[in-house]
Amino acid sequence: MKIILLIVAMILIFAFICILFLFIAKGQNNRKTEMDVLSFLKENPSKASLYMIKNGMEKISYNSEVKMPLASTAKVIIAIEFALQVAAKILDERELVPLVELNKFYIPGSDGNAHNNWISSIRSNHKEVRGKITLLDIAHGMLAYSSNANTEFLMAKMGLDKINENIMKLSLSSHDKIFPFSSAGFMSPYIQETENIGFTETIQRISEMSYEEYMKKSIEIHQILNRDQGKECIQKWNTRKNYARKLQVLESCKLPRSTTKEYAYLMKLIHKEELVPPTANSYLKQLIQRQVDDSKLIEFGNKGGSTISVLTEALYCTDLEGNDIQLALFIQDDSGMDHIWLKQKLDLFFYKILTDIEFQEEVSRKLSDNKE
């Protein structure tokens, strides 16, 4: 009996210490500022990349040509193809699509509630018409809400080949081909089922896959979801084991990659309306541009992305003095030690670097010191 009481007491003490540690860590993270983000960038050159253009000139370049996973920021490439197809009259942005078509690609619990938030928004704004929604609203849901279901629907609608042609047309020499990266979240159960191996063996199998093989199998999964048996497969494959941290980190490493230099360039292309044909620019800006509720900015557009180990952001803005800025920041931290507080504090960093010239200079100086 005494031994049992001792074990219980030890467990309670351990639990108390863990709770106390988490409470202290949360307090420390809450006190972090944009300066802590800058310190992280400077102290972790292998985990971060930043590129900034100001008034057409390079302002900051920090590991800007290192390829890193894009997460949902890759949806910019899909948005570009959408704008081009609408401008060319291949797509009608007013076409009504049944929501059930989007639900084919919806994976519950996989998107931080992004798709459901978008559904709530369109319904509260009375944009749903007899269970249908326009293509333009679907594309907006992909960009503004980062709906993965909408993304995969548009991939199927427009064609991956057409989407990937833009990588070459835009001279993005460091950019990987886009594939259905939401469907790829089922890579582990798909491999287990088709190759008859266990979960542990699957981790090793995925880690050894070439990019081409991983992309090919992601497309196979995407095609399954787009068929009648797709809903059944989602129910079968969408298990707790499929969200194991080790697997999610591995999947993050397998995402399409590019550089901050290329994505700052893409933001400049959108910001300055330089897409060809010119008629595509207005459609693209409708998707990327956000409402500005701040006295220091008159124009702002962005697309971010995140996974369990990746944080990405590409943006542009114009301030009251007429300065144009395009910026991309990528972070990959497989350890996850700094992921939570960085995700909370990046907006502080972006606001400061976009609106405070002295902070811009400090970032430029400190990150240039690292290169030297």
Side-chain angles (χ1 to χ4, degrees):
M1 185 66 179
K2 289 182 179 179
I3 295 174
I4 294 174
L5 290 173
L6 181 61
I7 293 172
V8 170
M10 290 175 66
I11 292 172
L12 290 173
I13 291 170
F14 178 74
F16 174 77
I17 292 171
C18 289
I19 292 170
L20 181 62
F21 176 78
L22 290 172
F23 182 78
I24 293 170
K26 184 176 180 180
Q28 290 174 337
N29 287 343
N30 287 340
R31 289 191 292 272
K32 291 183 185 294
T33 68
E34 65 277 357
M35 293 305 300
D36 293 289
V37 177
L38 176 54
S39 295
F40 174 87
L41 299 180
K42 180 177 173 62
E43 294 165 8
N44 295 275
S46 64
K47 298 178 180 180
S49 172
L50 174 66
Y51 193 77
M52 176 175 164
I53 304 167
K54 185 172 182 180
N55 296 327
M57 303 292 290
E58 179 183 291
K59 180 67 179 177
I60 301 170
S61 179
Y62 180 64
N63 300 325
S64 63
E65 296 187 33
V66 176
K67 290 178 66 169
M68 298 181 74
L70 291 163
S72 285
T73 300
K75 293 171 184 176
V76 171
I77 296 292
I78 302 166
I80 288 173
E81 180 59 23
F82 177 83
L84 291 171
Q85 290 200 18
V86 171
K89 306 298 183 186
I90 298 170
L91 291 180
D92 180 356
E93 75 274 21
R94 298 163 299 178
E95 178 187 336
L96 289 170
V97 176
L99 286 173
V100 292
E101 288 297 308
L102 305 176
N103 290 337
K104 287 181 178 180
F105 301 106
Y106 174 59
I107 303 171
S110 69
D111 65 351
N113 217 36
H115 187 69
N116 286 333
N117 288 340
W118 172 69
I119 293 288
S120 296
S121 172
I122 62 172
R123 285 175 176 164
S124 64
N125 289 295
H126 309 292
K127 292 188 174 183
E128 185 182 5
V129 180
R130 296 186 298 279
K132 298 180 180 181
I133 194 72
T134 68
L135 276 178
L136 184 61
D137 281 318
I138 291 169
H140 183 262
M142 175 183 70
L143 268 290
Y145 288 83
S146 212
S147 165
N148 289 334
N150 292 18
T151 305
E152 300 244 339
F153 169 81
L154 289 171
M155 286 179 178
K157 180 80 172 175
M158 298 188 298
L160 276 173
D161 290 343
K162 289 294 183 182
I163 292 167
N164 283 318
E165 280 176 13
N166 290 306
I167 294 172
M168 181 180 65
K169 289 177 182 177
L170 296 168
S171 301
L172 304 175
S173 59
S174 295
H175 204 300
D176 290 337
K177 286 185 176 181
I178 301 293
F179 60 81
F181 41 84
S182 177
S183 291
F186 283 146
M187 187 65 68
S188 174
Y190 180 67
I191 293 296
Q192 289 178 67
E193 189 172 295
T194 56
E195 300 187 14
N196 195 29
I197 58 176
F199 179 76
T200 303
E201 292 82 3
T202 302
I203 297 286
Q204 184 65 29
R205 174 78 173 88
I206 293 172
S207 67
E208 293 172 351
M209 280 186 190
S210 67
Y211 191 82
E212 290 72 21
E213 184 182 7
Y214 192 82
M215 178 169 60
K216 179 176 179 291
K217 290 189 179 298
S218 299
I219 293 171
E220 290 173 7
I221 298 167
H222 170 83
Q223 290 170 341
I224 290 171
L225 299 187
N226 199 22
R227 296 197 291 265
D228 291 339
Q229 71 267 41
K231 188 174 181 179
E232 178 185 327
C233 288
I234 289 175
Q235 291 174 341
K236 178 174 57 174
W237 291 340
N238 198 29
T239 65
R240 181 174 295 182
K241 183 175 280 190
N242 202 47
Y243 295 93
R245 178 177 174 80
K246 185 176 182 180
L247 178 59
Q248 287 193 70
V249 170
L250 175 59
E251 290 170 346
S252 294
C253 293
K254 292 287 187 178
L255 288 168
R257 299 175 301 156
S258 183
T259 68
T260 53
K261 191 169 187 176
E262 289 190 332
Y263 268 75
Y265 160 74
L266 283 177
M267 289 297 107
K268 181 175 180 291
L269 182 78
I270 297 167
H271 191 189
K272 307 307 291 181
E273 300 187 12
E274 296 171 346
L275 200 64
V276 177
T279 48
N281 289 294
S282 62
Y283 295 110
L284 189 54
K285 266 204 167 178
Q286 282 185 67
L287 303 177
I288 298 287
Q289 195 140 301
R290 310 289 170 240
Q291 185 174 347
V292 178
D293 296 320
D294 184 88
S295 59
K296 293 187 178 181
L297 299 177
I298 59 175
E299 190 176 25
F300 177 79
N302 79 310
K303 182 70 193 88
S306 68
T307 71
I308 199 169
S309 58
V310 171
L311 293 170
T312 59
E313 185 84 17
L315 58 83
Y316 67 76
C317 76
T318 302
D319 65 21
L320 288 177
E321 286 72 43
N323 295 302
D324 290 335
I325 291 175
Q326 299 89 32
L327 178 151
L329 172 65
F330 298 167
I331 294 171
Q332 182 180 11
D333 180 16
D334 292 348
S335 72
M337 295 295 292
D338 297 283
H339 190 84
I340 294 175
W341 75 263
L342 280 168
K343 193 172 183 178
Q344 294 172 343
K345 301 300 178 179
L346 276 179
D347 283 348
L348 286 176
F349 178 82
F350 291 132
Y351 182 75
K352 194 76 169 177
I353 201 171
L354 296 180
T355 61
D356 189 322
I357 294 176
E358 290 183 4
F359 186 67
Q360 287 177 15
E361 297 300 329
E362 184 168 8
V363 175
S364 179
R365 183 178 66 255
K366 285 194 173 181
L367 298 187
S368 294
D369 288 345
N370 249 45
K371 289 191 292 186
E372 294 170 7

